[in-house]
Amino acid sequence: MTLEIAIFLSMNGKAKEAILFYKKHLQAEELMLVTYADMAKRDPSFELTEDNKDFISHSVLQIGKTKLMIAEETMDPSEPYQLGNHCSLCLQSADLAEIQRFYEQLTRDNRVQIIEPLHENAFSKAYGIVQDPYGVHIQLMYDPRLA
């Protein structure tokens, strides 16, 4: 099984600062870092400004056996950032069918809210976001690198 769950933190413009903090104090190893400028190269529709070009679109840190993902934005861009909506779970698998199956199972429950339908985007063949009945945002992502 290639499935893993990572903690995802949205940092409201302080992602770079948080990454440095975790690297310094928890010996986090930086596995990936993608800025808004990097995303704009992959996706021309991505809104890039002089103010946000160095913001973090996505990062992955390894702390012990746990992966910590950090970015600027919350999972539901229509919600203003507030303490409490800045944390989500990211279910990742190198098995595309497994991600599709989890998404289908979750969305069959009428209490689950679809924030972003499962679809292909600039970084994954399958990526989506749902909110469970308890307010937890769950990202689902196909990632062949986990094989």
Side-chain angles (χ1 to χ4, degrees):
M1 177 182 284
T2 63
L3 182 69
E4 72 176 19
I5 298 176
I7 300 162
F8 190 100
L9 301 177
S10 300
M11 291 299 191
N12 197 33
K14 295 186 180 185
K16 199 176 272 188
E17 182 181 323
I19 290 166
L20 292 173
F21 176 88
Y22 293 123
K23 287 170 76 171
K24 178 179 179 180
H25 297 291
L26 298 178
Q27 291 78 50
E29 177 188 352
E30 184 179 301
L31 303 179
M32 175 193 289
L33 189 121
V34 179
T35 64
Y36 280 25
D38 296 330
M39 278 302 291
K41 291 175 191 170
R42 295 180 188 182
D43 180 359
S45 69
F46 194 85
E47 268 189 58
L48 187 64
T49 67
E50 194 58 38
D51 292 335
N52 75 8
K53 69 180 182 180
D54 294 323
F55 276 11
I56 307 302
S57 172
H58 185 61
S59 68
V60 181
L61 304 178
Q62 179 92 30
I63 303 171
K65 293 181 180 182
T66 303
K67 287 188 181 161
L68 177 64
M69 299 176 173
I70 297 176
E72 306 295 351
E73 308 273 334
T74 59
M75 292 301 97
D76 186 348
S78 68
E79 290 182 342
Y81 177 90
Q82 63 184 9
L83 202 56
N85 74 350
H86 69 292
C87 186
S88 65
L89 301 178
C90 185
L91 272 69
Q92 307 179 105
S93 178
D95 183 343
L96 180 59
E98 184 172 46
I99 289 299
Q100 292 167 330
R101 187 172 56 255
F102 278 125
Y103 180 80
E104 289 167 13
Q105 289 172 344
L106 284 163
T107 56
R108 277 190 201 124
D109 187 314
N110 63 3
R111 300 172 300 157
V112 170
Q113 176 187 351
I114 298 171
I115 295 173
E116 188 172 327
L118 193 67
H119 68 286
E120 185 171 344
N121 63 17
F123 58 85
S124 178
K125 286 186 179 178
Y127 178 78
I129 306 168
V130 300
Q131 180 175 301
D132 74 13
Y134 315 101
V136 176
H137 289 156
I138 301 171
Q139 301 174 68
L140 298 110
M141 186 173 86
Y142 166 71
D143 188 344
R145 298 171 297 174
L146 296 174

